[in-house]
Structures are given as structure tokens and as C-alpha cells.
Amino acid sequence: MNIFGYLLMWFGAVAGHKKKAQVLLTGIVAVVLGTPVLAQTPAKRPNIVMILGDDLGFADMGSFGSEIKTPNLDSLAKDGVRFTNFYTRASCSPTRSVVLSGVDTHKNGLGNMSEWTSPNQKGVVGYEGFLSKQMVTLPQLLKGAGYHTYMVGKWHLGKQPDLIPAARGFERDFSLLDGLSSYWDMSNLAAMAPKTVFTEDGKYLTKLPDDYYATKTYTDKLIGFIDANHHDGKPFFAYVAHQAPHDPYHLPKEWRSRHVGEYDKGWDAVRQQRLKRQIELGIMPAGTELADRMWFIPDPIVLAAQARAITGKKMEMYAGMVENLDFHVGRLIDHLKQIGEYENTIFIVFGDNGAEGADLFKMVAGTPGTLNFLSAAINWSQTHPGAWGDPGSYVAYGPMWAQVSMTPFSQYKGWLAEGGIHNALIVSGPAVKRARGSINGGLMDVIDFMPTLLEIAGASYPKTYEGRALPSLAGKSWVKVLAGQAESPRTEQDYLGWELFGNRAVRQGEWKLRWQYESFGKGKWELFNLGKDPGERKDLAAERPDKVKTLLALWDDYVLTNNVILPDRSPYEVLKDTQPPRVPVDAGYPQMIYDRQFVPPKEMMSDPKP
């Protein structure tokens, strides 16, 4: 390279990265003096930014078929690769525990959520309800390998001083320790615990910043963490565990009205439109059918206009939550570009489980006469649609829109149908050598993050940590898949297993065996071929007893390997008694509610005779 080339590169680098500028200046001097240019220092290890959307659905980003505008997240998809066969766990804290430990939930302390630990699981190792202190975490290992480690957002893995982010490997943090909260303040739903708990850099906060809004503040804090250490040359790992778009849907006013009236057409129409776009994009194969609309959800066509407008407004609020999240992701992306770190940053984007279809407000508030009901009525009393988004309001969009978020899959968060555990995944950055904007259908899982990111960072997983033996990692590295040297980290013989709240499933290749409580399930094993039937419309258990037997053996292996203890109590134990009986959903049935006024031929009309 001649002196002019070095000068051009140097001027571009001065504003971005001091060390890069110094290396280039050395080249300029070498050219001027006529001395050979020495080999440059080895390339800096990549930064890692993990962006987790809380309850973000498979079909909620534009690059996965949504009408919601997510240009910044879509830009990462355009620069990287989208994965369409990626699995999480069915709820928040179990997924997060696997992400940070690389170990199955039944070994890492989240065999059940702390909120639902059953009597027969209490006191059992692996069912502590927090991320077990016997685990080593991803940030601990990356920190030991020379990375800065930062966390912002929702933790949900323990509140005691030895369980908070600062105690589990995060050098800097600004974290919500609870499972949900107001986006404006520390308000919590439960009467016995009316304030949510936050930490900053290992200290419990007495109050929140004056201009606090969750998604904005998390982004502000992370940018500050990055800038504080930017010039020391060390790479960083940032765990960006946003609350959004988890309910309650709290939004600044300017974000609430970006889709007015757009969703009044109803959930069936939006789901059909999303599937059409998914097929056009290559996210789903041609011929894919939507899962049945859940039997207790009405056909929106038969709703009164006012009901459609109110339910549509709930989806407008959700869309605003996703777009606001995307905006703040864009702020982070732009900042990394400004400081010269974008090109050396791996981005990982995913949702932690299926979209939320349950009514959490009703679940926590309970029944009249209870403390929680009174507390909810007093502190969350802003129920008018005009106040939705304000402090003291609580709105969520319900099961009908959750199925839209999970297009084309069946069911939603909390269940082991595809709608509970199948999510979108975007990976971009220097580790990705596949064609930009490409799509991959390899079988991926959140349990793979630990081996993948350790390999990328040049770190390893030890057999012991601080004197204690560690369980083996259960995941598979994606490095070869990202490099384009393999299509999947798993063979046809490998399998994935899940259990939560007593629901259970196992997948091998295209086949999935599933057991769920009635009425979401049959209370017995069901078999699906996901390659032909991603919506789990047809149970093949009676037709393929041989395949049921094969997968049952894998389920037994999963139970034995991971010390799975099925709960003797479940949030779903009486569900079938509180829901209308499950019936098939057929378009246009029953005909009587769709029949329009009969109008006779005009020429045959007459007034009555005298």
C-alpha cells in the first residue's frame, strides 16, 4: 500500500478507534522511511451483543413476516443470517438460565419457575427456582478470558446478594431482578411485594433515574458502560435482556398511535397476511398451513365493531412496544458504528419464549376480597383505553394476538406446542460467513449459546470452577454453521427435550412427541411431523406407533440424564374445567352465525294485499 492509501485509512480511523489509527500511522511512517511494514497485531476478538426480546414472537419482526416496522432489527438480518428452526424454553426464567449456563433447566436450578415450584420439587437440587450457584456462567468465563461483561434489563434468576448479576460475572449492570414491572417506575402487581427490585453495578437501587423509561434507560446505561472502557482494547460481551415487549404495554405517547385502525380487521386476517409474507421471504415453505385458531377464540368477523376496535387497539399498543424496542436497538447499532465497533461485533437477536397469551394481570390480581385484587384495583386503575400506556395502566393483547405473533404455529408461551418454544433467531457479525441475508433451517437451541460463544471468544468450558465440579455442556457449537461449513449443529440422531409445568416434549429430526394438559393437549402423547405440519394440526400417534415408541425412549433418556421430576401441582391442573370444551375449528361453522339477511329477487317483491 502506498502513502496515500495509508493516509486515507488513517483519517477514517482517528475518529473511530485510537489503536487502529496508531497501527495505520506506523504504516505511513514505514512508507516514508522506506522500511518494511511489520506484521500487524492479531485481529481483536469480536464483541458480542445478545439482544433478547421478552415474549417477542416468531413472526413479530419484519424480516420474519411482520407488518410491524423493525428496520434496525431487519438490518441485522440483512447483514447476517436468519434461523427458522430455533428453540427456547416455554417461559422466561428457564430460558435465561439455559442461555447463561449452557445446562438443562432441571440441572441448573430452574427445573421449575420459582413462582410455580410444586410441593414434590421443593428442596430438590436443580429446582431451587434461581440460577444455581453450582453453575459457572457465560459472563464469568468470558470475563476470565479477557472480556468486559455488561448486562442491562430483566434478570429473573435470583435476588439475594450472591445471586444478582454482579455476583454471576457481570462487571457492570443495570438490572430489573423481577419477572415483570412497570416501564415507568418500580410498581409491581403483587400486594405483598409492591415494589420491583433493581440493581446497578451490584448495589440495590433505592429509586430509579428521574427520566426513567425501561427500554430507553437500559440502552442509555449500556452505551455508557461501553464508552467507559472503549479505549482499553478489550472486547465486550453485552447481555441486553429487554423487558419489551412483555406486558404491561407502557409506551411514551408518541409511540401509541402508529397503527390506528390497522388491526380492526382481526387476528385471522393478520395471521394470513403474515404467513403469506413468510412464504414470500422463504421463512416458511410454500404450502405451509396455519395452525387452527384456538377453539375458545372467536372469529373476529362475528364481533361487533366496537369490540374489534378495542381488541385491535391492544395489538396497536403491542406493535408500538416492538417498534420502540427496535428504535432503541437502532440507537445502540448507530453508536457502535460511530465508535468503530460495529464491524467487529456479533449480534444475536431472539425472543425468550413464545408470545404471551395468558392474562397475567388476572392471574396475579386473583379474586375480589384478596389483597392482590385490592392492590391491583388501587394501583393499576388506569383502565380507560385512552390511558393505556400511562403509569398505572395494565394492558396485554390476549391469546388471539399471541397466535398472530407466533404465526404459523400453534399455541403460545407456557406450552410445549411450537408456539411456546419455537422462536426467531438472527445472528450477524464477523463470525458469520454465510451469504448476507440468508436463511438457515438447522436445528438450533438456546442451550447452544455457551459452547458457541466460548469458541468464538477463544475460551473454554472447564471441568471445575472455583473448586466445584461442573456439569457437562449439553449444547452444540454453531461455529461451523455460521461459517457455512455445515447446515445444522445436529445430526438426525440428536434430539432436544423439554419439560415445564408438567407439559413435556421431545424432537428428533422432523418428528416431535408432545404431552400436554387438557384442553391445550389431550393428556396423552401426541405425534407430529413438523417438516410437513409445522402448525401441529394432525396427530399421527395412532398411525405411527413405531415412531412414538422411538421418541418415548428418547424422552426416558432425557428424564434420566437431567433428573426430570414431573410436578405434582401445575398451573394447568384444572384448566379444562375452566374453559369451554375443545372442539374442532372449521371456517364458517356454525353456519347460523354467518348467515346474512336473505333478500328475495326484486321482481318478486310486493306489498301485502288489502
Side-chain angles (χ1 to χ4, degrees), residues 261-560:
E262 183 174 340
Y263 296 107
D264 292 6
K265 57 192 165 192
W267 33 91
D268 284 3
V270 181
R271 221 166 39 122
Q272 289 160 6
Q273 290 168 355
R274 288 197 181 185
L275 177 59
K276 182 175 182 291
R277 279 192 292 270
Q278 288 175 338
I279 293 172
E280 290 170 351
L281 290 169
I283 297 297
M284 300 303 298
T288 298
E289 292 185 85
L290 289 170
D292 287 337
R293 177 181 5 101
M294 304 197 65
W295 72 99
F296 55 84
I297 298 172
D299 184 336
I301 291 174
V302 305
L303 294 181
Q306 185 178 20
R308 289 171 71 171
I310 288 295
T311 54
K313 186 173 177 62
K314 292 181 178 181
M315 185 62 191
E316 291 172 26
M317 295 293 294
Y318 180 81
M321 294 290 291
V322 176
E323 291 185 356
N324 180 267
L325 170 64
D326 179 81
F327 170 77
H328 289 290
V329 169
R331 289 179 54 218
L332 175 60
I333 290 172
D334 288 346
H335 186 74
L336 292 176
K337 288 179 178 178
Q338 289 166 13
I339 65 173
E341 292 290 347
Y342 176 81
E343 297 295 336
N344 195 43
T345 298
I346 294 168
F347 289 89
I348 300 166
V349 180
F350 65 106
D352 61 345
N353 41 245
E356 179 61 88
D359 188 338
L360 293 180
F361 184 84
K362 182 178 179 180
M363 192 181 298
V364 175
T367 56
T370 63
L371 278 173
N372 278 347
F373 190 89
L374 180 61
S375 175
I378 293 172
N379 299 310
W380 298 84
S381 59
Q382 301 303 309
T383 57
H384 190 280
W388 287 353
D390 289 347
S393 67
Y394 199 111
V395 61
Y397 64 0
M400 52 284 207
W401 295 115
Q403 271 208 281
V404 170
S405 287
M406 296 312 298
T407 302
F409 304 127
S410 174
Q411 305 178 19
Y412 41 75
K413 176 181 174 180
W415 297 91
L416 294 182
E418 292 295 283
I421 54 177
H422 194 143
N423 219 299
L425 172 67
I426 296 170
V427 183
S428 71
V432 179
K433 306 302 181 187
R434 307 184 79 90
R436 292 177 60 192
S438 61
I439 295 170
N440 175 271
L443 193 56
M444 323 285 271
D445 189 90
V446 287
I447 209 162
D448 304 331
F449 282 134
M450 176 76 94
T452 302
L453 296 180
L454 290 181
E455 185 173 350
I456 287 171
S460 59
Y461 184 81
K463 292 184 178 180
T464 63
Y465 186 79
E466 295 182 346
R468 61 183 185 272
L470 296 175
S472 300
L473 292 180
K476 307 282 187 178
S477 173
W478 300 342
V479 168
K480 288 186 177 179
V481 177
L482 296 176
Q485 298 169 3
E487 289 304 302
S488 175
R490 289 176 170 79
T491 69
E492 287 296 308
Q493 284 68 50
D494 291 322
Y495 75 90
L496 294 171
W498 301 267
E499 185 277 326
L500 186 64
F501 307 141
N503 294 322
R504 58 212 83 148
V506 62
R507 175 174 177 171
Q508 184 184 50
E510 294 187 340
W511 290 95
K512 178 180 175 184
L513 191 67
R514 168 187 110 187
W515 188 103
Q516 295 195 131
Y517 280 96
E518 299 181 78
S519 297
F520 279 48
K522 296 180 179 179
K524 61 181 181 181
W525 290 103
E526 300 171 78
L527 178 70
F528 303 97
N529 185 313
L530 298 179
K532 298 177 181 177
D533 180 24
E536 296 169 295
R537 297 169 60 93
K538 183 172 176 57
D539 175 15
L540 299 173
E543 296 178 25
R544 292 295 307 271
D546 59 320
K547 186 57 70 172
V548 172
K549 182 178 179 181
T550 298
L551 294 177
L552 273 175
L554 296 179
W555 166 254
D556 290 341
D557 181 72
Y558 176 74
V559 170
L560 184 64

Side-chain angles (χ1 to χ4, degrees), residues 174 184 200 205 207-213 217 221:
F174 186 94
W184 298 112
E200 184 170 19
L205 293 182
K207 62 179 183 178
L208 294 172
D210 291 339
D211 62 346
Y212 178 80
Y213 174 71
T217 302
K221 292 290 184 179

Side-chain angles (χ1 to χ4, degrees), residues 107-120:
K107 288 183 174 181
N108 72 23
L110 269 296
N112 202 340
M113 296 181 72
S114 62
E115 296 88 342
W116 294 103
T117 305
S118 66
N120 69 320

Side-chain angles (χ1 to χ4, degrees), residues 40-62:
Q40 294 185 12
T41 55
K44 178 183 171 185
R45 288 179 295 170
N47 308 311
I48 301 164
V49 174
M50 182 180 285
I51 299 171
L52 188 160
D54 197 352
D55 295 351
L56 183 70
F58 177 82
D60 281 335
M61 292 182 282

Side-chain angles (χ1 to χ4, degrees), residues 34-363:
T35 57
V37 180
L38 298 176
Q40 294 185 12
T41 55
K44 178 183 171 185
R45 288 179 295 170
N47 308 311
I48 301 164
V49 174
M50 182 180 285
I51 299 171
L52 188 160
D54 197 352
D55 295 351
L56 183 70
F58 177 82
D60 281 335
M61 292 182 282
S63 52
F64 280 80
S66 182
E67 72 293 334
I68 298 173
K69 297 174 180 62
T70 56
N72 297 296
L73 293 168
D74 296 344
S75 73
L76 297 177
K78 190 182 231 181
D79 279 349
V81 58
R82 283 164 286 173
F83 294 95
T84 59
N85 250 327
F86 169 68
Y87 284 94
T88 65
R89 300 300 172 264
S91 195
C92 314
S93 51
T95 292
R96 292 156 201 267
S97 72
V98 173
V99 168
L100 294 179
S101 71
V103 174
D104 187 82
T105 56
H106 303 88
K107 288 183 174 181
N108 72 23
L110 269 296
N112 202 340
M113 296 181 72
S114 62
E115 296 88 342
W116 294 103
T117 305
S118 66
N120 69 320
Q121 294 171 336
K122 287 187 176 179
V124 178
V125 173
Y127 296 79
E128 292 87 349
F130 53 80
L131 183 56
S132 169
K133 290 181 284 186
Q134 298 304 307
M135 300 297 110
V136 64
T137 68
L138 178 59
Q140 284 174 324
L141 295 179
L142 291 178
K143 188 176 182 180
Y147 272 70
H148 289 299
T149 54
Y150 310 134
M151 180 197 163
V152 292
K154 175 175 147 182
W155 179 240
H156 204 189
L157 294 173
K159 295 181 183 178
Q160 296 297 325
D162 56 351
L163 301 175
I164 61 178
R168 308 312 302 268
F170 286 106
E171 175 186 338
R172 303 288 308 275
D173 82 283
F174 186 94
S175 307
L176 165 68
L177 302 187
D178 294 87
L180 66 83
S181 178
S182 166
Y183 286 70
W184 298 112
D185 52 41
M186 287 179 160
S187 299
N188 196 6
L189 267 178
M192 296 289 194
K195 286 183 65 175
T196 48
V197 184
F198 288 77
T199 59
E200 184 170 19
D201 295 343
K203 300 292 184 183
Y204 295 90
L205 293 182
T206 57
K207 62 179 183 178
L208 294 172
D210 291 339
D211 62 346
Y212 178 80
Y213 174 71
T215 316
K216 172 187 177 297
T217 302
Y218 297 149
T219 307
D220 292 343
K221 292 290 184 179
L222 177 59
I223 289 173
F225 297 164
I226 293 169
D227 284 353
N229 295 315
H230 176 228
H231 293 297
D232 67 5
K234 292 174 64 173
F236 64 83
F237 167 62
Y239 176 49
V240 192
H242 280 291
Q243 281 176 254
H246 194 295
D247 54 300
Y249 303 155
H250 284 169
L251 272 170
K253 284 184 168 57
E254 63 270 23
W255 291 91
R256 300 178 193 177
S257 303
R258 298 162 67 92
H259 293 266
V260 174
E262 183 174 340
Y263 296 107
D264 292 6
K265 57 192 165 192
W267 33 91
D268 284 3
V270 181
R271 221 166 39 122
Q272 289 160 6
Q273 290 168 355
R274 288 197 181 185
L275 177 59
K276 182 175 182 291
R277 279 192 292 270
Q278 288 175 338
I279 293 172
E280 290 170 351
L281 290 169
I283 297 297
M284 300 303 298
T288 298
E289 292 185 85
L290 289 170
D292 287 337
R293 177 181 5 101
M294 304 197 65
W295 72 99
F296 55 84
I297 298 172
D299 184 336
I301 291 174
V302 305
L303 294 181
Q306 185 178 20
R308 289 171 71 171
I310 288 295
T311 54
K313 186 173 177 62
K314 292 181 178 181
M315 185 62 191
E316 291 172 26
M317 295 293 294
Y318 180 81
M321 294 290 291
V322 176
E323 291 185 356
N324 180 267
L325 170 64
D326 179 81
F327 170 77
H328 289 290
V329 169
R331 289 179 54 218
L332 175 60
I333 290 172
D334 288 346
H335 186 74
L336 292 176
K337 288 179 178 178
Q338 289 166 13
I339 65 173
E341 292 290 347
Y342 176 81
E343 297 295 336
N344 195 43
T345 298
I346 294 168
F347 289 89
I348 300 166
V349 180
F350 65 106
D352 61 345
N353 41 245
E356 179 61 88
D359 188 338
L360 293 180
F361 184 84
K362 182 178 179 180
M363 192 181 298

